[in-house]
Amino acid sequence: MQPVVFVHGFLDTWYAPWWGRMAKHVENLGLVPDEIHAVDKGLVPGTTVRSPRDYAELVREEVEKAYDRHDERVNLVGHSMGGLDSRWYVEQLDGDELVDTVVTLGTPHHGTLLSRWAFFTPGGRDMTMSSDLIRTLKNDGVADGVEYVAGWSTSDELVKPKRSAKLPSQRENVTNVNLGPMSHFEIQWRRSAFDKFAGYLRSEG
């Protein structure tokens, strides 16, 4: 399988224990730890509140590092706002040249009504349904040559409306996957959710 780069979401940190569980799931598919990368936005939970535009630069750095080390295109897996970071990199910063598949988990592709509670932060403002970032991603659309898998949950309490976690399905390179009745945070570590999107992680470029 190709290298994987994880991108955590708003307020989260790569060092939280659930990402360790996700990494173990990926190792069970055959990757070794050296092939698993993660975007490091900060050590302290609750402080990762910048714009996806800013974090997209960190995604670029980690993807380029993984590509240079393994000499093959990578799979991006972004949870929540991490999916917007990933898409901004792929679609606005030419990341489609190095990325094969983008998996998003509980990502508010069309914004979320709950973002009003975090409007005082750049990330919160960018997740409003009328933000410039959301409008740009919707208007420009997904990148050609990249496979997209949008995982959504029927019980996601933070993505409102729930359909916001889906991507337009009329594109041939887009698949929406119902991860089941799990909370916004459960979908990033439960094995049953992982099993529903694991098969879409590409094994060759």
Side-chain angles (χ1 to χ4, degrees), residues 62-147:
E62 199 60 41
V63 168
E64 289 180 351
K65 184 189 305 181
Y67 182 84
D68 290 343
R69 180 179 298 174
H70 307 291
D71 194 29
E72 53 184 334
R73 296 171 74 190
V74 307
N75 294 307
L76 270 176
V77 178
H79 175 253
S80 195
M81 193 178 77
L84 298 179
D85 306 345
S86 301
R87 286 190 60 198
W88 194 265
Y89 162 63
V90 169
E91 296 160 25
Q92 303 297 318
L93 303 179
D94 299 323
D96 56 320
E97 298 177 0
L98 304 182
V99 173
D100 200 55
T101 303
V102 175
V103 175
T104 64
L105 306 172
T107 291
H109 295 290
H110 308 279
T112 173
L113 296 172
L114 272 294
S115 62
R116 64 182 181 272
W117 299 110
F119 195 76
F120 60 93
T121 68
R125 289 192 291 275
D126 278 340
M127 287 189 288
T128 60
M129 301 184 79
S130 60
S131 75
D132 288 341
L133 181 136
I134 293 296
R135 284 202 301 267
T136 297
L137 291 176
K138 289 173 68 173
N139 291 338
D140 290 356
V142 298
D144 294 328
V146 175
E147 294 295 321

Side-chain angles (χ1 to χ4, degrees), residues 13-28:
T13 172
W14 163 244
Y15 303 97
W18 39 83
W19 284 107
R21 294 185 68 170
M22 176 71 86
K24 286 295 183 185
H25 295 334
V26 173
E27 285 184 42
N28 289 337

Side-chain angles (χ1 to χ4, degrees), residues 34-79:
D34 181 61
E35 295 170 314
I36 300 171
H37 300 255
V39 175
D40 187 355
K41 303 180 190 178
L43 291 169
V44 183
T47 63
T48 51
V49 297
R50 289 162 54 191
S51 167
R53 293 181 178 89
D54 297 327
Y55 291 134
E57 295 292 345
L58 299 182
V59 177
R60 183 211 296 269
E61 292 176 11
E62 199 60 41
V63 168
E64 289 180 351
K65 184 189 305 181
Y67 182 84
D68 290 343
R69 180 179 298 174
H70 307 291
D71 194 29
E72 53 184 334
R73 296 171 74 190
V74 307
N75 294 307
L76 270 176
V77 178
H79 175 253

